[in-house]
Amino acid sequence: MSTPQDLLIVALDVEGTRPVRSGELSLALAGAELLDLSKSRAIRLDGDRMVPGDLTAPTDRLLKEAVASLVVAEPFESVGDWLWRRGRDLAATYMAAFESEGLVQKQGRRHFRGGHTALVDSVPRRRAAERWSSAEPVLRTLAEGLGITAEPAGEIQEIADDAAETVLAAVNGALQELEAERQRRSIEEAAYDNVWRSPE
């Protein structure tokens, strides 16, 4: 299971209520990496702190890079700090990997990278579509944070994993923080523009 890969495929393949922006997607991808690292026991959560575990577990190249960047000394890193540090430009990193693996090609609809990309038919795309249509709760929750929703094929299961709940809550908090910062900057820029446009 590759939750970051599946999330990116959904972001490219499913129409959302708003355009998916790279900043939000990068934070969500960093959270998706943590979810997979926790499932593979490469990390465990002690409260909101990420404690290294079996660092040889991941086989995916980008997850190996994620493991290599883990803080392995106490007091270890918080989930929130990880999201902001690892999430910097992570969407572009995953898109570059998709391009190198032939999962996308330059054409079709406009997406968060500002270019024209389209998914090609592939096993990862079909796997992600199956996971999405099955209303798998972790993928659905991450996607909903990006404004991507869909009618579930059946009742969405509750997330019973405490670590997953912690990570998903941190992703949601980071997304809200990013939006609040964008709004603050927009207000400041508008106020600055008004000062220069005001008559003397």
Side-chain angles (χ1 to χ4, degrees):
M1 180 183 294
S2 175
T3 303
Q5 187 179 67
D6 291 349
L7 179 61
L8 180 53
I9 289 171
V10 168
L12 291 168
D13 224 11
V14 180
E15 201 68 46
T17 58
R18 61 181 184 271
V20 176
R21 293 183 287 191
S22 61
E24 282 87 348
L25 182 56
S26 292
L27 288 170
L29 287 169
E33 286 186 336
L34 276 189
L35 291 164
D36 282 2
L37 292 178
S38 175
K39 233 176 181 17
S40 69
R41 302 188 185 279
I43 63 160
R44 66 176 177 84
L45 293 187
D46 182 4
D48 74 336
R49 296 281 166 177
M50 298 159 41
V51 181
D54 179 9
L55 300 183
T56 64
T59 57
D60 176 82
R61 178 177 64 83
L62 288 176
L63 286 182
K64 284 183 178 179
E65 289 180 11
V67 163
S69 72
L70 287 171
V71 174
V72 296
E74 292 186 2
F76 304 116
E77 190 171 28
S78 70
V79 172
D81 287 346
W82 161 273
L83 294 177
W84 291 106
R85 180 175 64 82
R86 174 66 180 167
R88 186 180 300 275
D89 298 324
L90 193 57
T93 299
Y94 270 88
M95 277 301 298
F98 270 32
E99 290 173 3
S100 68
E101 294 166 14
L103 299 177
V104 295
Q105 57 188 11
K106 298 274 188 185
Q107 65 174 33
R109 295 157 38 192
R110 180 175 293 274
H111 288 289
F112 57 87
R113 294 190 73 214
H116 294 279
T117 58
L119 287 162
V120 301
D121 184 38
S122 64
V123 171
R125 185 181 185 183
R126 291 192 292 273
R127 182 197 63 212
E130 182 178 339
R131 188 176 177 189
W132 176 251
S133 64
S134 72
E136 194 277 321
V138 167
L139 184 60
R140 282 294 176 99
T141 302
L142 286 168
E144 285 175 0
L146 301 173
I148 304 169
T149 58
E151 290 298 322
E155 185 178 351
I156 298 178
Q157 302 173 358
E158 290 187 6
I159 298 171
D161 186 301
D162 290 343
E165 287 186 347
T166 298
V167 171
L168 292 170
V171 170
N172 184 56
L175 292 173
Q176 291 179 355
E177 186 178 341
L178 179 58
E179 182 58 28
E181 178 63 18
R182 281 207 178 107
Q183 291 180 6
R184 184 187 66 79
R185 289 184 181 182
S186 178
I187 291 169
E188 288 179 352
E189 289 171 3
Y192 181 79
D193 289 343
N194 287 337
V195 168
W196 283 103
R197 291 173 185 164
S198 296
E200 294 183 1

